[in-house]
Amino acid sequence: MDDLRHGEPLAPRTTLGLGGPAEHFLEARESTQLEAALRWAKEAAQAVTVLGGGSNAVVPDAGVLGLVLDVATRGLAFAKEGERVRVTAQAGEDWGAFVDRMVEEELAGLECLAGIPGRVGATPIQNVGAYGQEVAETIDRVRVVDRRTGERRELAPEDCAFAYRDSMFKRDLGRWLVLEVDFLLTPGGAPALRYAELEKNAPPVPTLASVKETVVALRRRKSMVLDPADPNTRSAGSFFTNPILPNDEAARAIEAAVRAGVVEAPEAVPRWPVGEARTKLAAGWLIERAGFAKGTRRGAVGLSTKHALALVHHGGGTTAELLAFAEEIVAGVRARFGVTLEREPRLLGVD
Ligand SMILES: Cc1cc2nc3c(=O)[nH]c(=O)nc-3n(C[C@H](O)[C@H](O)[C@H](O)COP(=O)(O)OP(=O)(O)OC[C@H]3O[C@@H](n4cnc5c(N)ncnc54)[C@H](O)[C@@H]3O)c2cc1C
């Protein structure tokens, strides 16, 4: 393979800016290049790690062995389908630019997902979501290569088993390479206003464009839009997912909060029912109440000053420092509330 590079630094390709190099690296601009790279790796017995925009990825300090495949394929196609429009996006399309374009085209369904970094191909992996919207609501097909067989497959939403920040892709990370994603969007549809904070800040007559702008402004306030001038954005977004627990476990965590004097009454603990049997707790709230205030520092890493869920790299740090701080937080939350937080970003080459 002609374009193969060796010892390529990965830190500049991630939003955290941490970690070592890729043993082998290929930036693939065509889907045929992606498939050729997979064949090369199989023949050369090299592990393959897929990389998009690096905004939900942690790179180990030792780097990543085998081939890191940078999915940089571009292209959009539009097709009218009854009342809706099918938009097919190549996996390497920039997500933020894609959402901007859909809003410009007056296509509803993704407007609350503006300002999220990364590329289209990664959005089904963790069912990207924000401000009351998730990609699973509009994804109609995901075209993939099954890396076990090398075959192309077309997956329907029910095959993807989408859930909160989860999908079958995430549960079986080594198996799938996403090539393109089809979204079914609604021309001239109303913007989604389901999230209290968004509803409160949206203009009186909301449009797709104004709701998108409101989302971006809210995200900016929390340092959740990439901005080189904002040191809080050198992160991987939320480092932990909100725990969704069986009701009895959530009740025990809430009791623990009262016992520890964190709150006076159980009602003061933020929680949301998930179906009848489960309850979602707020990971950021648990972290702060376990004693990790926003802005807490451990050398070169710390918590964002605006968002207790974002672990930030202040420069000159290591992935080991970041993961040690993450472990300290997990242990602190477990000790106080009996809840084990789950890491959201993937540890490349390890997970
Ligand atoms: C400031 C900030 C704010 C964020 N806000 C949000 C938010 O509001 N909501 C949210 O859900 N997320 C958020 N994130 C997380 C992140 O932006 C998303 O998860 C995004 O979809 C990751 O895309 P990426 O291309 O950067 O993926 P990467 O970080 O490159 O990869 C993430 C994982 O997906 C896999 N992957 C990537 N592309 C493919 C592909 N084509 N085929 C198969 N596997 C692939 C990788 O192997 C890796 O395991 C935020 C991150 C940051 C830094």
Side-chain angles (χ1 to χ4, degrees), residues 50 52-56 117-119 122 126 128-129 176 178 219 235 237 346:
V50 180
S55 64
N56 208 23
R119 299 183 187 159
Q126 71 149 347
V128 158
W176 309 101
V178 175
R219 294 183 66 91
S235 78
R346 303 290 86 198

Side-chain angles (χ1 to χ4, degrees), residues 77-81 84-89 107 139-141 143 154 181-185:
F78 295 77
K80 187 104 178 70
E81 201 165 300
R84 294 197 278 178
V85 171
R86 176 177 298 275
V87 185
T88 303
L107 293 171
I139 287 181
D140 184 63
R141 285 291 179 272
R143 283 183 210 90
E154 185 173 275
V181 185
D182 278 14
F183 299 88
L184 272 183
L185 303 177

Side-chain angles (χ1 to χ4, degrees), residues 13-16 34 49-58 69 71 91-93 95 112-131 144 147 165 169 173 176-180 219 223-227 232-238 344-348 351:
R13 296 179 178 274
T14 67
T15 50
L16 273 165
L34 286 169
T49 300
V50 180
L51 182 67
S55 64
N56 208 23
V58 180
L69 198 46
V71 182
E93 283 288 331
W95 177 255
C112 301
L113 305 176
I116 299 179
R119 299 183 187 159
V120 165
T123 59
I125 309 295
Q126 71 149 347
N127 180 21
V128 158
Y131 293 93
V144 295
R147 287 164 48 190
R165 289 310 164 271
F169 303 113
L173 259 185
W176 309 101
L177 171 65
V178 175
L179 296 175
E180 51 184 39
R219 294 183 66 91
S223 294
M224 280 289 155
V225 179
L226 289 185
D227 178 354
N232 278 318
T233 69
R234 209 183 219 190
S235 78
S238 299
E344 186 190 292
R346 303 290 86 198
L347 195 52
L348 290 192
D351 282 342

Side-chain angles (χ1 to χ4, degrees), residues 272-283:
W272 300 268
V274 176
E276 291 198 347
R278 294 187 307 156
T279 301
K280 179 153 92 174
L281 300 179

Side-chain angles (χ1 to χ4, degrees), residues 52 54 73 75 93-94 126 142 164 201 209 226 259-261 289 300 324 349:
T73 49
E93 283 288 331
D94 177 77
Q126 71 149 347
V142 183
Y164 163 71
N201 287 279
L226 289 185
R259 258 199 328 273
R289 296 331 183 265

Side-chain angles (χ1 to χ4, degrees), residues 83 105-109 111 185-192 206-209:
E83 300 285 291
E105 300 282 344
E106 295 283 337
L107 293 171
E111 58 283 352
L185 303 177
T186 310
T207 62
L208 291 180

Side-chain angles (χ1 to χ4, degrees), residues 222-223 232 293-296 302-312:
K222 298 175 195 163
S223 294
N232 278 318
K294 293 188 187 96
T296 299
L303 282 184
S304 161
T305 58
K306 309 249 189 78
H307 197 304
L309 265 184
L311 266 65
V312 175

